[in-house]
Each structure stands twice: as structure tokens, then as C-alpha cells.
Amino acid sequence: MTTSSLTMDRSCHNPLRNGGTSISPTAGFTLLAGKDQWPKVEAILEEFQRSNDWAIQSDVRLSDHFPWFQVSVCEEPGTQIFAHGLLDFGGRDEVRFDAFTFANGAEWEEALRSIHDAVKSQQLGELEYKHGEEWSSDPPGWLDFSDEPSE
């Protein structure tokens, strides 16, 4: 697929739609879980989409021959949460969630936090968080734990 064919999609699912040549996620987290959890993750994203009236594109295939997990939820003017499953990636199975913001999209923190909280509440697997170029189990600043009781 060429860059020109990628930019033909003018929806909020395409971070390159305005002529950009690359984009990096603003923030993200990873769920350490295999494809047996993919339907639950897809259901979480579908519920988020319905509850928030965002757009969704979903391509989930549980086939043993060609497993595939890609789900994008987004809203105009330009906030996208993209989730993709990776099997045996560096010796482990994971679903990565990345927030992209472009065209002054500003609601990524609330959206990513909402999806994170739904994934965490279902206890589908361990969670890791992106801190710059590094991943760790330490929660990042965009997760607001202010509603938890203080010790």
C-alpha cells in the first residue's frame, strides 16, 4: 500500500489524512494477553464507541492461520485510539493501545483513561505503560488516580 492510497481515507481513522508523512502516538499502554482475550477487548472498544458516539473501524480475525486484531475508535477533529494485537511479539502476546492526536484533537487523555479503566476492571492481563521510549508497570501521569482513597 502506498502513502497516497493511505491518505485517501479522509476519516478520523487516518492520522495521515491531512498530508502528514508520519505520526507517533501521544501515549499508550499494553495489555499482556493472547487472542483468547481479543473478543473481550473488542467488546470494550465497541462499548466505548457507543457510549461516546465515536466512529469505529474493526478488523478482528481469530483464525489460527491468520490471527489479526486492529480496532480504531476516533472522533473529529482528530483524536484516535488504535488497538492492535501482536502474537509472540518479543516472546509474548499483547494488545497495544495507542492514542493519536492531530488537527487539535484534545480529548485523548479522557478517552484513553476510560478504555484503560475498562480493560483493567476486567482483569484481562498485566498492563504496561509507555514512558517515552520505555515500557514499565509504573502508571504514567495521564492516568488520574485522584478518585482512589489516599493512604
Side-chain angles (χ1 to χ4, degrees):
M1 190 177 292
T2 66
T3 303
S4 61
S5 64
L6 285 173
T7 58
M8 289 174 63
D9 175 3
R10 305 308 291 169
S11 75
C12 58
H13 297 284
N14 179 8
L16 301 176
R17 68 185 176 168
N18 292 325
T21 57
S22 69
I23 189 166
S24 296
T26 303
F29 71 95
T30 296
L31 166 65
L32 302 180
K35 74 176 184 176
D36 59 316
Q37 299 296 348
W38 288 0
K40 294 174 185 172
V41 173
E42 183 180 27
I44 288 168
L45 293 166
E46 288 171 343
E47 176 57 29
F48 173 85
Q49 177 270 327
R50 279 190 299 277
S51 298
N52 295 281
D53 197 29
W54 282 34
I56 189 168
Q57 287 182 352
S58 181
D59 186 2
V60 179
R61 304 173 201 175
L62 299 175
S63 161
D64 288 333
H65 301 291
F66 189 70
W68 186 263
F69 184 94
Q70 288 190 341
V71 180
S72 170
V73 290
C74 64
E75 76 165 352
E76 298 294 352
T79 300
Q80 176 191 30
I81 309 297
F82 181 69
H84 53 101
L86 302 166
L87 296 178
D88 197 23
F89 183 73
R92 65 189 198 172
D93 297 341
E94 62 184 46
V95 177
R96 189 165 297 171
F97 299 81
D98 290 312
F100 296 89
T101 183
F102 41 93
N104 298 320
E107 297 184 21
W108 72 266
E109 286 185 17
E110 183 179 333
L112 192 59
R113 190 169 35 249
S114 175
I115 291 167
H116 167 273
D117 292 351
V119 169
K120 185 176 181 179
S121 74
Q122 290 202 18
Q123 300 178 343
L124 303 177
E126 283 184 57
L127 297 174
E128 290 185 346
Y129 306 96
K130 191 168 186 176
H131 298 276
E133 296 301 314
E134 302 293 322
W135 290 87
S136 80
S137 59
D138 297 330
W142 56 263
L143 279 175
D144 179 16
F145 291 107
S146 60
D147 58 343
E148 290 185 1
S150 58
E151 295 180 26

